[in-house]
Amino acid sequence: MIKWGLCATIKAPLSDVLSFVAYHLDQGAHRLYIYLDDADDETFRVLKAHPKVRPTLCDAAWWDKRGGRPVKHQVRQARNATHAYRRRAEVDWLTHIDVDEFLWPGRTVEDHLACLPDAVLCARLRPIEALAGDGTAFKAFLPAGPERDRVVDALYPTYGRYIKGGFLSHVAGKLFVRTGLPDIQWRIHNVFQGDAMNPGEKELTDVSLCHVHTKSWEDWIAAYRYRLAKGSYRSDLAPSRPREKGGRTLHELFSDIEAREGEAGLRAFFEEVCEDTADLHRRLDAYGLLRLCDLQLDAKRQRHFPEIT
């Protein structure tokens, strides 16, 4: 029987960590390697008590043994994922995802992985991005191609040209990787074996990565400054389209909106692109891009950690 696991570097409230863990235990994860980026002792204690969870406190001592704590959280994530992969193998496949990402398989995850040929060493998960509402509606991934720009412009007439595939966050997705491969170095969206990127890669088309990039306007604006400076809206990321076709980075777009219209302009952007409205449902559904996934996070957290919740 195929066994799979995940690793994640997390800085989040206890309830969010337990929701993430409980959800993936429910999906059949055999091991969860959780690296606590803020060295949260209480969260560590709760996770340590679960037989399928392997928590790590990423405190000063942890990073001192590894040459110092990297400033960028993306580098810390990649190093921790590589560490998890190089542990004594307890699973056949390992993925690295974030605390706001949730696997949504048509069947069980292990069924999908078991069907992959031996030559497949990496299996890519494509994201679907949450609409801000009751947590059940998502926009589907729109592959690159001649129709992508036309569809995105129709879905988001004001801002579509600036958002890749209609997503505010990544469209690259994440990877499952067979364990036991030599010389693996993890990155956020890829792995390297020596100089080879993503050896033996295949799309895992029937498993979605539900990315809850935002839950509400209040949630989005609270995270906005950090994302603009260091996260998914930072200045060093590429524009969604070539500049000769009018492309701009999200950093440039948001900075311009804020300079001209302030928070009201950001709110107007949010309402067009992120808000879970009947109108956006209709538009997404017309293009076959509406996905309804009830993650039931509260119920799963209460089932697996009743003493906490």
Side-chain angles (χ1 to χ4, degrees), residues 184-229:
I184 290 291
Q185 292 279 347
W186 219 288
R187 300 293 185 269
I188 302 301
H189 302 289
N190 301 289
V191 296
F192 285 83
Q193 188 175 39
D195 294 330
M197 187 170 74
N198 307 331
E201 182 182 2
K202 180 180 174 62
E203 296 262 339
L204 202 59
T205 55
D206 294 328
V207 181
S208 294
L209 186 69
C210 296
H211 188 185
V212 186
H213 182 69
T214 188
K215 301 174 184 177
S216 65
W217 160 252
E218 291 77 15
D219 174 75
W220 187 80
I221 198 65
Y224 166 74
R225 293 282 168 218
Y226 180 84
R227 288 171 173 166
L228 194 70

Side-chain angles (χ1 to χ4, degrees), residues 48-61:
K48 184 71 172 176
H50 197 287
K52 291 192 173 184
V53 183
R54 303 288 186 266
T56 297
L57 281 172
C58 296
D59 55 13

Side-chain angles (χ1 to χ4, degrees), residues 27-38:
Q27 291 292 343
H30 183 68
R31 287 288 182 273
L32 293 92
Y33 305 102
I34 305 299
Y35 294 80
L36 297 171
D37 198 37
D38 59 354

Side-chain angles (χ1 to χ4, degrees), residues 241-255:
R241 301 180 188 182
R243 291 194 181 277
E244 60 269 21
K245 295 183 178 181
R248 304 172 74 188
T249 67
L250 284 176
H251 187 91
E252 292 166 344
L253 173 67
F254 289 140
S255 298

Side-chain angles (χ1 to χ4, degrees), residues 63-77:
W63 287 116
D64 285 348
K65 292 179 182 178
R66 289 157 181 84
R69 185 178 190 266
V71 174
K72 291 186 175 181
H73 71 273
Q74 295 93 342
V75 179
R76 299 196 298 274
Q77 288 175 307

Side-chain angles (χ1 to χ4, degrees), residues 20-246:
F20 174 81
V21 168
Y23 178 86
H24 290 102
L25 288 171
D26 235 46
Q27 291 292 343
H30 183 68
R31 287 288 182 273
L32 293 92
Y33 305 102
I34 305 299
Y35 294 80
L36 297 171
D37 198 37
D38 59 354
D40 183 334
D41 290 314
E42 173 63 11
T43 301
F44 178 85
R45 182 190 64 79
V46 174
L47 295 179
K48 184 71 172 176
H50 197 287
K52 291 192 173 184
V53 183
R54 303 288 186 266
T56 297
L57 281 172
C58 296
D59 55 13
W62 169 259
W63 287 116
D64 285 348
K65 292 179 182 178
R66 289 157 181 84
R69 185 178 190 266
V71 174
K72 291 186 175 181
H73 71 273
Q74 295 93 342
V75 179
R76 299 196 298 274
Q77 288 175 307
R79 289 195 185 175
N80 288 339
T82 301
H83 178 269
Y85 186 86
R86 291 179 177 179
R87 295 174 63 123
R88 180 179 62 84
E90 299 178 292
V91 295
D92 303 297
W93 290 86
L94 185 70
T95 186
H96 165 251
I97 60 177
D98 293 333
V99 70
D100 59 356
E101 295 174 329
F102 303 88
L103 302 177
W104 184 268
R107 298 171 288 162
T108 65
V109 174
E110 53 263 35
D111 282 349
H112 290 290
L113 294 172
C115 291
L116 294 174
D118 291 345
V120 174
L121 305 181
C122 304
R124 184 165 297 279
L125 305 158
R126 289 294 182 183
I128 60 177
E129 191 173 88
L131 302 181
D134 67 3
T136 63
F138 292 77
K139 58 181 78 173
F141 170 72
L142 188 59
E147 290 298 299
R148 178 194 264 181
D149 289 353
R150 182 186 66 80
V151 171
V152 173
D153 287 345
L155 289 169
Y156 313 104
T158 309
Y159 298 109
R161 70 184 60 188
Y162 308 118
I163 48 178
K164 185 177 291 185
F167 280 24
L168 280 188
S169 189
H170 65 86
V171 298
K174 301 292 177 70
L175 289 172
F176 264 110
V177 182
R178 286 190 193 270
T179 57
L181 302 176
D183 196 25
I184 290 291
Q185 292 279 347
W186 219 288
R187 300 293 185 269
I188 302 301
H189 302 289
N190 301 289
V191 296
F192 285 83
Q193 188 175 39
D195 294 330
M197 187 170 74
N198 307 331
E201 182 182 2
K202 180 180 174 62
E203 296 262 339
L204 202 59
T205 55
D206 294 328
V207 181
S208 294
L209 186 69
C210 296
H211 188 185
V212 186
H213 182 69
T214 188
K215 301 174 184 177
S216 65
W217 160 252
E218 291 77 15
D219 174 75
W220 187 80
I221 198 65
Y224 166 74
R225 293 282 168 218
Y226 180 84
R227 288 171 173 166
L228 194 70
K230 300 180 180 180
S232 49
Y233 315 151
R234 64 189 187 274
S235 60
D236 61 329
L237 297 178
S240 63
R241 301 180 188 182
R243 291 194 181 277
E244 60 269 21
K245 295 183 178 181

